[in-house]
Amino acid sequence: MTSLSSKVAAILLGFSVAAAPGALLAKDRLTVDLVNEPSSLDPQVQWNPDSYYVYRNIFDNLLTRDDKGDIIPQVATSWKYLSDTEIEFQIRDDITFHDGKKLTAEDVAFSVQRITDPKFGSPQLGQFNKIIKAEATSPTTVKLTTDGAYPALLAQLTKLSIVPKHVVEAVGKDAFNLKPIGSGPYKFDNWQRGVQVTLTANPDYWGDKGPFPTAVFRAVPDASTRVANLQAGTSDIAVTLDSDLAEQLKSSARAKVLSVLTERVAYLRLNPTKAPFDNTKIRQAVAYAIDKDGLIDGILGGYDKPVPEMLTPSHVGWVADIKAPSYDLAKAKALVAEAGPAAKAEIELATSPVFDQRIVQAIQQMLAEAGLNVKINMSDMANYLKRAQGGVDATPALSFGRWSCSCQDADGVLFPLLHKSSSWSVYRNDKADALLEDARATLDEKKRLEDYRQVHEIVAEDVPLVPLYQVAAIYGAAKPLQWQPSPGESLFLNRMSWKE
């Protein structure tokens, strides 16, 4: 409910709370139920959803996207190409970090240098490693130099959070993660490990200010509990709901369902270096064994959309006529039979609570029907991600995942998942590597599309992964919350309002 003090303030200032939710504080505390607590609040250390939901409100990015998905300025006000390999950004001169220090071009250059330093070990390195130099040429100008033309650069820079050089250098990586300082609309307040992270509105924010004085992000692993909290009025947003739980909210007096098709793709990743997936026939059998329409219509309530490739139609690099293996159980069984004794090996299917376990269990059953011996292994998200980036030996034989680069460009999806240089990749294919390198090094859009077509065809034939569906993000929200979810899955608190 709107507080009495806020109503009085509205009357004194001559505004109504409903008419000016961004200017007047309509709700003292917004409570968001996540699946897990963040694994990191340092934006250059991790980008899993539960971390991103929180830290994206603490930090500003060099560029960002509006609710339609278009690239727009944030810390940078404008940019221009000096050559195919050099781009210059003008930086706002009215931004201060939460400690009161001014954000300058030095902080932008430092943030780029930090995330592109291989020794730093960012899992985002593959998104930015085409940048070979970042320099502040004036207090408000930054020049980036790339190793050849890089057509996905602006799309990638929508993910570059600007960290304060003076703080990071003074306290170090670990301490910064425990008490992050950014320039965003919300300040870090405290982190109760395993329970919640609390943020407070930044009254000095240069842009649209946060409408809620306090925002709390809680770890609530059980989805039914997240829904129950909404129904009871003890939370205002619940993330990562499934269609069954969404159905429950449709008759709720307190809550509503909000959904959007995202740029995230659900997929199975196979490790071709581990038995039995060192056998191409068994990898192909997996692709034929999965009934994508059955998953979407029978489990996901029709919210999601099947895809034949590891992209969505919103990505640069999407090819509409790719022919991928479609559901054919008889063919899957025949391929398993052809593989002989190799097909009898036990297969670990790695997953994490953040994923829809109904889907994981259905996939296990589909693969069992094809004759494969699949055992589900559940781990928390931090350990799941550690193994996923651990190289060919640590990475499970089979894992269910959902990938979003938040860049809407194939380079941010296919390069990290497939190229041998990426910590995420366990695939080794020289032709695919060459195509991926070529596609990220040319400004010729037609050439890029042809390169990606060939990569999609290699994936469909060799099956290092199986694209499943374009993921719909389903949220529960308190009815007074005014918010339109975006395909980029960002919880921008300062784009929300409250209307009783």
Side-chain angles (χ1 to χ4, degrees):
M1 296 294 289
T2 304
S3 68
L4 180 60
S5 61
S6 294
K7 289 182 177 179
V8 171
I11 293 170
L12 291 174
L13 292 172
F15 296 101
S16 72
V17 172
L24 297 167
L25 303 175
K27 181 178 172 63
D28 291 336
R29 171 184 169 125
L30 185 83
T31 300
V32 182
D33 282 354
L34 307 176
V35 180
N36 301 299
E37 72 170 336
S39 60
S40 171
L41 292 180
D42 183 331
Q44 296 177 352
V45 169
Q46 194 50 265
W47 64 358
N48 65 74
D50 292 315
S51 298
Y52 179 76
Y53 287 142
V54 181
Y55 73 62
R56 189 61 182 87
N57 291 286
I58 300 173
F59 295 90
D60 286 321
N61 284 13
L62 185 63
L63 307 174
T64 191
R65 290 187 184 271
D66 61 19
D67 289 337
K68 296 182 294 183
D70 295 331
I71 297 172
I72 60 173
Q74 193 162 47
V75 170
T77 60
S78 62
W79 50 91
K80 63 179 179 180
Y81 274 95
L82 305 178
S83 69
D84 282 356
T85 61
E86 293 181 316
I87 184 169
E88 183 180 80
F89 294 88
Q90 295 299 315
I91 306 303
R92 295 186 68 98
D93 64 359
D94 59 349
I95 302 179
T96 56
F97 288 111
H98 299 152
D99 63 355
K101 298 288 187 180
K102 192 177 184 68
L103 185 154
T104 71
E106 286 287 348
D107 297 296
V108 176
F110 172 79
S111 298
V112 176
Q113 293 161 2
R114 184 177 188 243
I115 204 168
T116 56
D117 181 359
K119 294 179 181 178
F120 180 71
S122 173
Q124 302 174 47
L125 176 61
Q127 313 288 322
F128 296 101
N129 62 2
K130 284 286 286 183
I131 303 172
I132 57 175
K133 189 176 183 181
E135 54 188 323
T137 54
S138 83
T140 58
T141 308
V142 171
K143 184 173 74 172
L144 301 184
T145 304
T146 57
D147 179 16
Y150 185 33
L153 179 63
L154 294 179
Q156 299 291 18
L157 290 174
T158 64
K159 300 176 296 183
L160 179 71
S161 294
I162 307 305
V163 300
K165 178 180 179 180
H166 65 281
V167 176
V168 174
E169 289 186 335
V171 304
K173 176 179 175 181
D174 293 340
F176 185 71
N177 179 51
L178 295 175
K179 193 175 182 180
I181 293 175
S183 63
Y186 278 82
K187 299 180 179 182
F188 173 80
D189 184 275
N190 67 80
W191 187 351
Q192 293 176 261
R193 289 289 183 160
V195 180
Q196 65 186 39
V197 176
T198 302
L199 308 182
T200 57
N202 175 11
D204 301 318
Y205 188 57
W206 60 272
D208 292 334
K209 292 178 172 56
F212 314 106
T214 302
V216 175
F217 295 82
R218 305 189 302 195
V220 184
D222 182 68
S224 297
T225 303
R226 296 198 294 277
V227 168
N229 290 344
L230 276 175
Q231 303 264 36
T234 58
S235 70
D236 304 300
I237 299 176
V239 308
T240 318
L241 302 186
D242 62 36
S243 56
D244 290 345
L245 293 171
E247 193 65 29
Q248 293 180 27
L249 290 181
K250 289 181 178 179
S251 59
S252 172
R254 291 181 179 267
K256 60 187 175 184
V257 176
L258 300 174
S259 68
V260 64
L261 276 173
T262 70
E263 66 163 9
R264 189 176 296 275
V265 177
Y267 67 105
L268 286 175
R269 184 169 71 156
L270 292 74
N271 187 339
T273 71
K274 288 189 173 180
F277 296 133
D278 51 354
N279 186 320
T280 306
K281 292 184 184 298
I282 299 180
R283 298 200 303 273
Q284 292 172 340
V286 171
Y288 284 113
I290 305 300
D291 181 0
K292 299 178 187 180
D293 290 325
L295 294 175
I296 292 168
D297 297 333
I299 298 175
L300 297 174
Y303 284 93
D304 306 76
K305 183 179 179 181
V307 288
E309 62 205 71
M310 195 58 206
L311 299 176
T312 75
S314 68
H315 285 87
V316 174
W318 168 265
V319 179
D321 60 350
I322 288 298
K323 303 298 182 185
S326 57
Y327 177 57
D328 189 331
L329 183 57
K331 185 172 288 188
K333 288 181 175 179
L335 286 167
V336 170
E338 286 179 40
K344 302 302 181 182
E346 183 174 296
I347 301 169
E348 175 192 2
L349 171 53
T351 184
S352 178
V354 72
F355 304 130
D356 189 335
Q357 297 310 304
R358 302 173 306 165
I359 294 294
V360 177
Q361 291 165 9
I363 288 171
Q364 179 191 36
Q365 180 61 34
M366 290 175 181
L367 296 180
E369 290 174 358
L372 297 173
N373 180 19
V374 176
K375 304 296 182 184
I376 294 173
N377 180 25
M378 175 88 74
S379 64
D380 63 81
M381 194 61 175
N383 283 316
Y384 171 94
L385 290 170
K386 183 178 181 179
R387 293 186 68 197
Q389 300 167 64
V392 294
D393 293 331
T395 302
L398 181 65
S399 54
F400 175 84
R402 301 186 307 173
W403 187 274
S404 169
C405 67
S406 297
C407 65
Q408 296 178 209
D409 192 287
D411 183 72
V413 181
L414 301 179
F415 197 93
L417 283 176
L418 298 173
H419 195 274
K420 63 185 177 184
S421 68
S422 169
S423 64
W424 292 94
S425 176
V426 293
Y427 188 49
R428 301 296 179 262
N429 184 301
D430 291 342
K431 182 179 179 181
D433 284 350
L435 289 165
L436 291 167
E437 291 163 8
D438 190 51
R440 66 165 16 195
T442 176
L443 300 179
D444 184 334
E445 293 184 8
K446 290 184 179 179
K447 182 68 170 69
R448 293 192 80 208
L449 197 61
E450 179 53 36
D451 286 338
Y452 287 130
R453 172 186 289 278
Q454 293 183 63
V455 173
H456 296 318
E457 290 171 347
I458 289 171
V459 170
E461 176 66 24
D462 206 28
V463 199
L465 53 83
V466 179
L468 298 174
Y469 51 86
Q470 182 180 8
V471 175
I474 306 176
Y475 306 88
K479 285 192 172 179
L481 184 72
Q482 307 300 300
W483 172 49
Q484 176 56 53
S486 68
E489 299 180 73
S490 300
L491 291 181
F492 290 115
L493 299 181
N494 66 336
R495 297 186 189 181
M496 300 177 183
S497 61
W498 192 265
K499 184 177 181 180
E500 294 287 359

